[in-house]
Amino acid sequence: MDTTGRHPSTVQALRGFAYDHLPADLQEVSKPFHGLAETMLGKLPDDPELSAALRKLREAKDCAVLLAAIVRSDERSG
């Protein structure tokens, strides 16, 4: 994501949306969150509400990826 010229709080809130480092099945869960963050970045100005929205989106992404990893682990062990 291009964060050139964006406020530092926006840049900070965008950290954690990378997904290339994840296994393919977890990338499928994480990628839509990255896309939504990118859309928000393209349509909304820097603002405390944008930073908050991005942080909450990242929290949701983290929960979804964690659940997918747990399911993946359960499927492999079961």
Side-chain angles (χ1 to χ4, degrees), residues 19-70:
Y19 58 87
D20 290 343
H21 64 286
L22 296 170
D25 57 329
L26 299 182
Q27 285 185 20
E28 291 177 21
V29 174
S30 185
K31 187 175 180 178
F33 291 94
H34 178 275
L36 181 54
E38 214 165 38
T39 297
M40 291 168 64
L41 187 65
K43 294 186 179 285
L44 300 171
D46 290 330
D47 186 89
E49 292 300 326
L50 174 61
S51 297
L54 289 168
R55 280 194 310 275
K56 291 173 187 288
L57 181 63
R58 187 177 61 205
E59 290 173 11
K61 186 265 312 175
D62 290 346
C63 290
V65 172
L66 176 60
L67 176 58
I70 291 169

Side-chain angles (χ1 to χ4, degrees), residues 3-4 6-15 46 51 54 58:
T3 58
T4 305
R6 298 308 295 240
H7 191 273
S9 63
T10 300
V11 175
Q12 176 67 27
L14 287 167
R15 292 184 183 161
D46 290 330
S51 297
L54 289 168
R58 187 177 61 205

